Structure formats: structure tokens, C-alpha cells
Amino acid sequence: MTSAQFQPAAGPARRTVVAAAGAAGLAVALTACGGSDDDASGGKAADSSGSGGGENSGAGTALAATADIPEGGGKVFPDQKVVVTQPAAGEFKAFSATCTHQGCAVKSVSGGLINCPCHNSSFSITDGSVQSGPAPKPLPAVRITVSGDSVRLA
């Protein structure tokens, strides 16, 4: 009887495969956590536009009537990835609806806060600043225009 020596098939070691999968997952997580370095200042009163960068590929798109945005609150527009707020009567601001923590969409506006349901981050309706974390940065401002009773992406 001859004894054959066991030779494992050529290929990457299990440890290599696991490490590569972990590195790929980390890269995805870090990309999702990344935020914008844009200024987070908001818009102005009617007939002017906000400042800041945000992601508004639908420039000129009508979002809502001014009456649809409650004073002291706001409304999320998920299709446009924008949240519009009215911190004071006639003062409209807009921010990205993408949370700066892990990229989840914010879902509601209540009690003067823009709320993300994923990890309970909340942001100010006035300037998008973080009011409770884990979000590391404010929501980036999005440019809007208010003309008459219409709120539009700028």
C-alpha cells in the first residue's frame, strides 16, 4: 500500500477571503457614513433662495404650496431627497433628507426636529444642526426658491 501525501487545492486561504470580505464591508459602511462638507446654512424668507449645496438634481421642481409646510414644522419629500421646514412664519428652509450618520432617509418633522428613524438622530428645523446623535454633521442645506405660494427646488 502506498501512502499519498495530502495536497490541498490551490486557492486563497480562508483567512484571506474573510479579511477581504471584511475590508469590502468596511469600505461600504464608510462610504454610507460620509457626509457633505457643504455649508449648512438655510434659506431665507419668500422670494429668495437658500444657500448651501445638497443634492437636488430636480432643480426647478415644484415641491409644495407654502400652506403645505406647517409653521414650526416641515415636510419630507422622499422622491427629491429634500426636507422643507418653516421655522417661523414666512421663513422657509430646505435640507438634504439623507442622514449624515449612515445615509438613511429622514422620515418626519415634529417638535421642531427633523427625525431619522434608523438610529434616532435628530436635526434642527432652523439650521439642520445635530440635536441628538449619533449623526456627526448637520444636514446639508438645499437651495429652494419661494415665489408666491409655491416652494421650488432652485
Side-chain angles (χ1 to χ4, degrees):
M1 175 165 180
T2 62
S3 70
Q5 196 148 17
F6 176 76
Q7 291 287 342
R14 180 173 182 254
R15 190 174 293 170
T16 303
V17 172
V18 171
L26 179 62
V28 169
L30 289 175
T31 301
C33 285
S36 173
D37 289 331
D38 293 338
D39 182 7
S41 60
K44 303 209 180 213
D47 295 328
S48 64
S49 63
S51 62
E55 46 197 68
N56 59 349
S57 59
T61 301
L63 292 173
T66 55
D68 293 339
I69 310 299
E71 184 179 340
K75 185 172 179 181
V76 178
F77 298 91
D79 291 344
Q80 292 81 12
K81 298 181 180 167
V82 172
V83 58
V84 177
T85 65
Q86 186 178 187
E91 180 184 6
F92 295 90
K93 304 214 175 190
F95 306 96
S96 169
T98 303
C99 181
T100 58
H101 175 233
Q102 287 190 339
C104 292
V106 299
K107 294 289 183 200
S108 66
V109 181
S110 63
L113 298 173
I114 301 165
N115 304 297
C116 179
C118 292
H119 299 101
N120 297 319
S121 290
S122 61
F123 304 88
S124 168
I125 64 169
T126 303
D127 60 7
S129 63
V130 177
Q131 299 300 300
S132 65
K137 295 181 182 179
L139 292 175
V142 172
R143 292 179 52 106
I144 57 170
T145 58
V146 179
S147 179
D149 67 349
S150 179
V151 179
R152 296 182 159 291
L153 290 174

